[in-house]
Amino acid sequence: VAGETYGFDRSLVGAAMAAGFQVGIHAIGDQGNRDALNYIDSVFRLAAPAKTTRPRIEHAQVVSPDDIGRFAELGVTASVQPPHAVEDAPWAEQRLGPERIRGAYAWRTLRQAGAALVFSADLPGSDPDPFYGLHAAVTRTDKRGQPSGGWYADQAMRIEEALRGYTVWARRAAFEEPYVGPLAPGMWADLTVLDRDPFTAPPDSLLGGRALRTYVRGVAVQ
């Protein structure tokens, strides 16, 4: 319920943004996302420095068509979790209805509107295996391959987009462009060696993927 007890201290969050701190606001339903966007917009209008903080809306799960474009307009990152879509598929449309479901888990629509996307696992809310996340993003199916053909498959990501969602797009959200991304002198050399090439492997085989070696700043940690 909107109001003074709306889930977070608006004065405190607004002060943090005005001071240059990045915030992430948790919003799942369409009204929650609209309220979060309205709130961020109101802070931007009062405190210009807040506009550079790249705020996020965590989940951005159900968004009204009228609000899709506002993510790009305001520079708000939509931080989404591909596994949630395929895990919620059996019941989401029944609860949301045939119209509102069109703005739910709508990654392709957000991308087409110019929104910045970040993918994550929402640990412990879902299995954190990144191969599961990639599989869900690309196929829009669960671990059993259901539903056949993918749930609202028009919202699926290409494998390049899915990988970027977990890597370089996340880098931008964390203000880490100077440190991570390309393998180049001066970069941190954070990298993972996989047992298969996601660009050439059949999408269904992504679920069986494994990380063979992980490096953090050039040092093997696994």
Side-chain angles (χ1 to χ4, degrees):
V1 179
E4 293 302 319
T5 60
Y6 191 65
F8 63 90
D9 186 323
R10 298 187 182 196
S11 296
L12 180 62
V13 174
M17 293 176 65
F21 288 94
Q22 184 185 52
V23 303
I25 298 176
H26 181 285
I28 291 180
D30 48 4
Q31 186 64 58
N33 277 284
R34 174 170 295 171
D35 287 348
L37 290 166
N38 286 344
Y39 172 78
I40 291 169
D41 187 23
S42 71
V43 175
F44 284 175
R45 293 174 186 274
L46 293 173
K51 295 181 179 180
T52 65
T53 60
R54 300 180 187 174
R56 301 185 312 279
I57 292 183
E58 294 295 337
H59 300 312
Q61 206 150 288
V62 186
V63 182
S64 167
D66 294 337
D67 295 322
I68 292 282
R70 299 181 67 198
F71 281 84
E73 292 168 8
L74 294 172
V76 175
T77 298
S79 177
V80 305
Q81 296 72 37
H84 286 340
V86 300
E87 291 164 357
D88 296 354
W91 50 262
E93 184 165 359
Q94 181 180 9
R95 298 187 186 185
L96 294 171
E99 297 301 323
R100 293 170 69 207
I101 197 65
R102 289 291 179 179
Y105 319 89
W107 316 321
R108 173 63 54 205
T109 302
L110 283 163
R111 282 278 293 149
Q112 289 174 335
L117 286 181
V118 172
F119 291 168
S120 69
D122 193 32
L123 182 71
S126 186
D127 183 344
D129 184 343
F131 290 98
Y132 173 40
L134 291 173
H135 177 270
V138 172
T139 70
R140 298 279 291 200
T141 64
D142 62 19
K143 293 180 179 180
R144 297 170 296 124
Q146 297 299 317
S148 179
W151 188 58
Y152 286 96
D154 60 319
Q155 295 297 331
M157 295 284 97
R158 297 186 297 273
I159 187 60
E160 178 184 356
E161 294 171 311
L163 286 166
R164 288 181 180 277
Y166 285 107
T167 56
V168 294
W169 294 349
R171 171 194 67 173
R172 179 194 175 278
F175 289 90
E176 290 184 342
E177 294 99 322
Y179 315 113
V180 299
L183 295 177
M187 294 292 183
W188 282 357
D190 290 352
L191 59 102
T192 302
V193 180
L194 308 179
D195 71 344
R196 65 202 64 198
D197 183 351
F199 290 102
T200 59
D204 288 345
S205 75
L206 291 172
L207 282 174
R210 293 189 306 112
L212 301 178
R213 186 66 62 88
T214 300
Y215 295 83
V216 176
R217 301 195 186 189
V219 177
V221 297
Q222 178 264 328

